Amino acid sequence: MGEKRPGTLVEKVPPSSRRTLVAAIVRAAILIWAVGQFSVGATIGISAAEAKWIGRRIWKNECGGTISGLTSWNAGENFASLGIGHFIWYPQGQRGPFEESFPKLVGFISAHGAKLPEFLLAGHDDACPWNSRAEFLRDQDSPKMKQLRAFLVDTIDLQTQFLIARLEGALPKMLAEAPAADRSNVQRIFERLASNPSGCYALVDYVNFKGEGTLVTERYRGAGWGLLQVLENMHGTDSQSTLDEFVTSAKTVLRRRVANSPPERGESRWLPGWLARVDGYRAR
């Protein structure tokens, strides 16, 4: 008898699950191929002064440009919002539809050599140490909160770099998610906006503000509200500059989000501020 060869991974899977596994592998291979058709390692070519300007604008948008605003926990939310980008940090056992970004920021800052407060060091629990908004607000003058606030003040430039790095990573994620017919247009508009400081600011701020638009959890009635949805809604009309069309498209996407949102969230109360924020993309 011939030597029995060990089975492959697919062969070891029960027949009832094998077709599902094979289909998933095929989809992944197609996805990798599709992304490879584009030059997706987007590099944002802006100067240090322009990056600083973008960071200060986002700090003003999210925190009013205040130090106290760097440590926030909004009413009705189950997470803290920290730093110039109001990066989300969930307590232990809490999750939601929105992507958690603060632990990623801490990893980025640590990798760039900045000193971390002890409670943020590797090996410590990476969940938010405050379990509720009430607990967070009661602790505003505690040593831990003061350490956190000082850390955020000292790393504003690195937070800006993190936001720009997130934008650089957004393009491949969006191209992978977009329908094949839309990918070329999405990349073209993205690159056109990223080629100047005002357009770059609009992209960086919107990704931080409303995400890439690639998460299934960030949908209402199947419709997303992230950067991908804004870019898909643009067609390069002659009557508007690319930045003006971006603002117009973003407003359409944000209004659709509010219209589709669960009534109990009361998102209409935020819409005027959101629209004013994207209007500000035109200012220099």
Side-chain angles (χ1 to χ4, degrees):
M1 292 178 65
E3 182 180 357
K4 185 177 181 180
R5 293 179 298 122
T8 66
L9 174 62
V10 172
E11 288 169 346
K12 292 178 180 178
V13 175
S16 60
S17 301
R18 194 173 297 164
R19 286 190 298 273
T20 301
L21 176 60
V22 171
I25 293 171
V26 171
R27 284 197 301 271
I30 291 172
L31 189 62
I32 293 169
W33 173 86
V35 172
Q37 303 309 298
F38 298 89
S39 176
V40 297
T43 299
I44 307 302
I46 58 174
S47 68
E50 289 164 347
K52 187 180 290 289
W53 172 77
I54 288 172
R56 294 307 187 269
R57 291 286 300 270
I58 293 174
W59 185 8
K60 183 176 180 181
N61 287 342
E62 293 286 2
C63 314
T66 66
I67 292 174
S68 61
L70 294 171
T71 51
S72 300
W73 189 313
N74 296 325
E77 295 179 334
N78 66 335
F79 53 82
S81 298
L82 306 173
I84 63 170
H86 272 187
F87 305 106
I88 291 174
W89 199 13
Y90 287 106
Q92 186 70 41
Q94 294 284 337
R95 277 298 178 268
F98 308 115
E99 184 175 5
E100 185 175 48
S101 50
F102 185 71
K104 296 176 184 177
L105 170 70
V106 171
F108 180 90
I109 289 174
S110 178
H112 283 75
K115 184 177 179 181
L116 303 180
E118 184 176 352
F119 71 95
L120 292 178
L121 292 173
H124 290 247
D125 193 334
D126 63 358
C128 178
W130 296 279
N131 293 311
S132 67
R133 182 172 186 263
E135 188 177 312
F136 184 87
L137 294 178
R138 282 197 304 268
D139 224 18
Q140 286 299 294
D141 295 321
S142 70
K144 184 176 287 186
M145 188 72 75
K146 289 178 179 178
Q147 288 175 22
L148 176 60
R149 204 172 286 128
F151 164 71
L152 293 170
V153 170
D154 290 343
T155 59
I156 285 172
D157 287 345
L158 282 172
Q159 292 173 54
T160 303
Q161 290 181 35
F162 175 77
L163 290 169
I164 293 170
R166 179 180 181 182
L167 177 63
E168 290 176 336
L171 184 58
K173 293 169 68 175
M174 292 189 298
L175 293 178
E177 182 68 21
D182 292 342
R183 290 175 190 144
S184 178
N185 187 58
V186 166
Q187 181 169 0
R188 177 178 59 84
I189 295 172
F190 179 98
E191 291 176 347
R192 186 178 295 174
L193 286 163
S195 67
N196 65 83
S198 293
C200 185
Y201 161 60
L203 293 172
V204 172
D205 185 71
Y206 198 88
V207 165
N208 178 64
F209 171 42
K210 291 300 175 200
E212 292 92 345
T214 58
L215 293 181
V216 175
T217 55
E218 295 184 349
R219 301 277 195 277
Y220 290 150
R221 300 183 184 178
W225 51 77
L227 181 59
L228 174 59
Q229 287 73 43
V230 175
L231 297 179
E232 285 178 328
N233 196 43
M234 296 174 63
H235 307 288
T237 61
D238 294 333
S239 59
Q240 289 180 300
S241 71
T242 304
L243 185 56
D244 283 339
E245 189 184 8
F246 183 85
V247 170
T248 300
S249 179
K251 287 181 173 183
T252 298
V253 167
L254 292 171
R255 289 189 180 104
R256 182 180 67 193
R257 166 177 166 157
V258 171
N260 288 341
S261 65
E264 62 271 16
R265 284 188 56 82
E267 293 200 0
S268 59
R269 71 188 188 275
W270 298 326
L271 185 59
W274 292 350
L275 299 181
R277 179 167 179 161
V278 298
D279 263 331
Y281 295 162
R282 296 186 178 100
R284 183 67 170 94

